[in-house]
Amino acid sequence: MAPNSVRQIATVIKYELLKYLRGRRLLAIVLLTIIISAIFLIVPPAIGTAYPKDPTDFITRVLSFLGVLSILSATFFGADAIVSEYESKTGYFLFPNPIRKTAIFVGKFIASALVSVGAIGLYYVIAVVSVRVIDGSIPANTGLSFAYSLIYLFAILAIAYLFSAIMRSSVYSLVLTFFTFFLILPIIDAVGSVAKFKPWFSVTFANGISQYIFQNPYPADKVFTTTAAGGPSAGVQTYSLVQYYPEIRLSVIVMAAYFVVAFVLSIILARRREM
Amino acid sequence: MYKTVNALYRQQQIGFLQRECKQRHAEKVSMMESIVIEHLSKKYGQFVAVNDLNLTVEQGVCVGYLGPNGAGKTTTIKVLTNLLRATNGKAYLNGIDVIHHPKAALEGVGAVVETPEFYPQLTPDECLSYVGTIRGMSGEAIAERSHAVLEQVKLLEVADKRTGQFSKGMKQRLAIAQALLHEPSILILDEPTSGLDPRGMVEVRDIIKGLIKTDITILMSSHLLYEVQEVCDKVAIIDRGVLLTYDSVKNLSAGQDVTVTITTLDPITRPEFEAIKALKDVTSVKRTETLALKLSFSGGPETQFHVLRGILNTGVKVVSYMPQRAAIEDVYLQLVPEGEA
């Protein structure tokens, strides 16, 4: 008799992790993490620049790549997780077994989350160890920053799974995931500054809390005013931009909502999808 | 604690299966019927892939599922293996509703649908271990059965090689191996010899023939009519989603003339020719070459044997004795309109 779904999920996780370990994507993300960390640590002394003396400045600088790393993890480990079973026909091997599609989906998601958390965790470990060695202390709120980063990671991973459950092609799903988080949402976030609306609903905007949490006091929204010559008839014109900062509580709720909604929707769509 | 929860879960599963069986019994569906399809329909928009299909496969019977491309064979098989949702109707495997309880229904089922791909990072051993664990087999049972089925499909030598470099034929063999791993009571095969070289086709046919000697139920779609006639007990022919006929090979073959080409060592003399023509059940004899003649007769394999013995008794030195067309092929060609195959 087939075991219960919990044991089957554990089996799916085991073999998904084995696939990741033998694939190139995990190696690529680990190498990328190490290389980026090394750049932040090697380049300043190489060009004769001192490290920031304030540990908070230092860790904020090192962790500035965190958003990109999260996006790459979601793209590599989530964007084609479902669609590939249909596109490459591996579903014909897995689905006609006595296992619920939900169990397969949950197992895959947990495996993707584990390797992504591993990559993000490695990045944090390198950052924390570096700042400890160089500046002698660990900034307050590092743990909170890591927690917020994980919520963001789960949110975008769930959205990547949603794209994967909808799209018919792995390539389209990979491209859509990457450009949504790397280009489309950041553009919306930037337009907010000019158009004077706070993009609190944007998951990439909300992710800012993992960086701003290091600042004391936590930054508040700021208005910048600049003047520019507008031509002979227009004269001098004044422009104002608003630097918006995500509110911690709202951002956590937004990211968690993205995770829950995307996760549930992707399970429903994956269950309904036919070979 | 975990074991207790697991035991409770198993009890629940057994209870569920027992209730399901009782319910099926109440519906007067015999448990001797391994596969029951009732009024099954599957539509893709306006296109009807399967239309009100009714089919019952008794336990231990091998059924060949025939039809032209797009007839609905693979769609039926996909519904039975939980790869597609039926639009209407019911389907039961070992008495369990596969549409509403696929996990329980697929317990005793092994399936090869189309030519499945395997995860290129995994070896055949790992692929079998994956599905074996999902099915609740113990580590020892998986190791033992993996060895047996990989040997059966001639993949033992590459058991620890990753499947990424496997040919289509090797993947097809591995698919058959995973379908047989848990010794299923029902085997559902979608064109099992597709992608195999001639030797591979013969070997897969031999595997299926070997399985037929056991109590396994087989539903096998195929384009190769001779293969179906050689292997299967019964034949179902479907076209445009509608079941055209479903009967035993013996019944379908009855009344169909079998044409056999005979080649001989020496030229056939006039008396020998007349003696062959006079054999019981022979309906026509025609000399095609000096050392070859074509004869037709009605009847099944037994008649075919008696005709051959009769020819040998005339003193003709027979070198080869080859049926030209399968009787099922005649039935198929009569039922399926031209241009659809």
Side-chain angles (χ1 to χ4, degrees):
Chain A
M1 183 175 281
N4 63 37
S5 291
V6 176
R7 286 187 66 184
Q8 289 183 321
I9 288 169
T11 303
V12 174
I13 294 170
K14 178 187 164 185
Y15 284 95
E16 285 295 313
L17 290 176
L18 185 60
K19 281 157 53 187
Y20 287 138
L21 284 170
R22 290 181 183 169
R24 290 177 189 162
R25 292 182 184 182
L26 182 59
L27 185 66
I29 212 93
V30 169
L31 283 177
L32 204 60
T33 306
I34 293 168
I35 290 166
I36 295 296
S37 308
I39 288 171
F40 282 109
L41 297 172
I42 293 167
V43 170
I47 60 170
T49 309
Y51 292 120
K53 288 193 175 151
D54 181 1
T56 303
D57 284 351
F58 186 27
I59 202 163
T60 307
R61 192 176 292 183
V62 176
L63 292 179
S64 61
F65 182 68
L66 191 63
V68 178
L69 189 64
S70 302
I71 292 166
L72 286 174
S73 291
T75 308
F76 282 2
F77 305 121
D80 62 349
I82 303 298
V83 65
S84 65
E85 295 286 349
Y86 295 84
E87 193 182 22
S88 63
K89 295 186 175 182
T90 45
Y92 286 125
F93 160 68
L94 195 55
F95 297 154
N97 284 292
I99 180 170
R100 292 187 176 91
K101 277 187 180 171
T102 308
I104 295 172
F105 180 92
V106 172
K108 276 175 163 282
F109 188 86
I110 293 172
S112 304
L114 283 174
V115 288
S116 301
V117 168
I120 300 295
L122 175 66
Y123 194 53
Y124 264 90
V125 166
I126 293 171
V128 167
V129 169
S130 307
V131 77
R132 179 80 177 84
V133 169
I134 293 164
D135 287 328
S137 66
I138 297 169
N141 294 335
T142 303
L144 266 180
S145 169
F146 182 57
Y148 296 152
S149 297
L150 291 189
I151 299 172
Y152 174 66
L153 176 69
F154 290 151
I156 62 170
L157 193 59
I159 296 167
Y161 263 75
L162 179 59
F163 290 155
S164 185
I166 295 168
M167 303 303 285
R168 296 279 160 195
S169 152
S170 293
V171 175
Y172 291 157
S173 186
L174 287 162
V175 170
L176 181 64
T177 303
F178 186 75
F179 282 104
T180 298
F181 301 120
F182 200 72
L183 208 63
I184 299 167
L185 287 177
I187 286 173
I188 292 170
D189 299 348
V191 166
S193 288
V194 181
K196 296 186 183 64
F197 70 88
K198 191 168 186 171
W200 57 269
F201 51 84
S202 163
V203 73
T204 48
F205 176 76
N207 178 45
I209 60 172
S210 61
Q211 303 276 307
Y212 298 130
I213 192 69
F214 288 112
Q215 295 186 27
N216 191 17
Y218 191 85
D221 298 346
K222 288 176 199 164
V223 180
F224 298 95
T225 306
T226 57
T227 55
S233 58
V236 175
Q237 290 199 347
T238 303
Y239 298 94
S240 64
L241 294 171
V242 184
Q243 172 73 57
Y244 290 113
Y245 291 94
E247 292 165 35
I248 291 174
R249 199 171 160 188
L250 178 62
S251 298
V252 169
I253 292 169
V254 166
M255 291 192 290
Y258 269 104
F259 166 67
V260 172
V261 172
F263 186 75
V264 170
L265 269 179
S266 49
I267 284 184
I268 292 168
L269 292 172
R271 279 183 60 178
R272 291 184 59 81
R273 193 162 179 173
E274 297 182 323
M275 283 293 294
Chain B
M1 175 66 183
Y2 175 76
K3 282 184 177 174
T4 312
V5 172
N6 206 26
L8 278 171
Y9 171 78
R10 280 170 185 271
Q11 278 178 354
Q12 280 179 347
Q13 286 270 55
I14 292 164
F16 160 74
L17 291 172
Q18 285 171 340
R19 283 196 302 278
E20 186 82 17
C21 289
K22 281 178 185 172
Q23 189 187 336
R24 301 293 303 134
H25 188 72
E27 290 172 16
K28 296 179 182 176
V29 175
S30 166
M31 287 301 291
M32 293 302 284
E33 294 163 349
S34 293
I35 303 172
V36 178
I37 297 170
E38 293 174 349
H39 305 289
L40 188 77
S41 296
K42 176 65 186 175
K43 293 177 186 171
Y44 298 98
Q46 295 298 309
F47 177 72
V48 183
V50 174
N51 190 7
D52 198 33
L53 180 71
N54 290 285
L55 187 70
T56 299
V57 181
E58 296 83 10
Q59 190 182 327
V61 172
C62 177
V63 174
Y65 198 38
L66 302 173
N69 291 330
K73 305 188 297 293
T74 300
T75 300
T76 312
I77 283 175
K78 283 184 176 179
V79 170
L80 288 176
T81 50
N82 192 35
L83 294 167
L84 286 179
R85 285 187 309 278
T87 308
N88 282 308
K90 293 175 179 177
Y92 299 91
L93 298 172
N94 287 328
I96 303 169
D97 183 345
V98 70
I99 293 164
H100 294 103
H101 306 290
K103 187 177 174 183
L106 290 170
E107 291 256 347
V109 178
V112 178
V113 187
E114 297 199 357
T115 303
E117 286 292 328
F118 296 88
Y119 302 113
Q121 304 91 337
L122 302 185
T123 66
D125 264 342
E126 288 161 348
C127 288
L128 296 180
S129 183
Y130 192 176
V131 290
T133 313
I134 279 175
R135 287 183 173 278
M137 293 170 71
S138 69
E140 278 179 14
I142 290 171
E144 189 186 315
R145 285 294 301 155
S146 292
H147 188 277
V149 292
L150 288 175
E151 191 172 40
Q152 204 171 1
V153 299
K154 310 264 192 303
L155 284 178
L156 204 52
E157 283 181 7
V158 291
D160 58 351
K161 301 276 186 288
R162 293 189 193 176
T163 60
Q165 300 300 314
F166 278 20
S167 67
K168 192 181 176 191
M170 290 167 86
K171 286 173 186 169
Q172 188 74 1
R173 287 157 185 259
L174 183 53
I176 292 167
Q178 63 83 28
L180 297 174
L181 180 74
H182 55 291
E183 297 180 275
S185 59
I186 297 175
L187 191 59
I188 298 174
L189 304 170
D190 185 16
E191 300 193 25
T193 55
S194 164
L196 297 176
D197 57 26
R199 179 180 289 276
M201 290 167 91
V202 171
E203 285 167 358
V204 168
R205 237 176 268 150
D206 287 343
I207 290 170
I208 297 168
K209 281 180 190 169
L211 291 168
I212 288 167
K213 291 171 190 161
T214 64
D215 201 26
I216 195 168
T217 306
I218 301 174
L219 177 66
M220 178 178 98
S221 81
S222 178
H223 275 116
L224 304 175
L225 307 180
Y226 185 76
E227 177 178 273
V228 167
Q229 181 157 339
E230 190 185 338
V231 170
C232 298
D233 305 306
K234 296 178 90 172
V235 170
I237 299 177
I238 183 174
D239 186 28
R240 297 177 190 181
V242 178
L243 188 67
L244 302 176
T245 189
Y246 179 45
D247 208 340
S248 67
V249 171
K250 197 175 176 183
N251 286 346
L252 290 172
S253 301
Q256 298 292 331
D257 276 2
V258 178
T259 305
V260 175
T261 299
I262 301 163
T263 51
T264 55
L265 192 62
D266 303 318
I268 297 168
T269 61
R270 187 78 201 165
E272 285 170 344
F273 184 87
E274 291 301 327
I276 291 169
K277 202 175 173 182
L279 285 172
K280 192 188 170 198
D281 298 318
V282 172
T283 52
S284 72
V285 184
K286 189 180 172 187
R287 195 188 299 267
T288 52
E289 289 171 42
T290 318
L291 298 176
L293 57 83
K294 195 176 273 186
L295 63 88
S296 299
F297 55 85
S298 57
E302 206 169 312
T303 311
Q304 199 169 320
F305 166 71
H306 287 299
V307 169
L308 173 61
R309 197 162 63 178
I311 294 166
L312 292 172
N313 286 342
T314 63
V316 172
K317 293 173 182 172
V318 177
V319 175
S320 71
Y321 181 81
M322 288 187 301
Q324 287 293 288
R325 294 172 70 189
I328 295 300
E329 192 172 275
D330 293 328
V331 177
Y332 181 92
L333 292 174
Q334 284 165 19
L335 291 171
V336 179
E338 199 175 348
E340 291 193 12

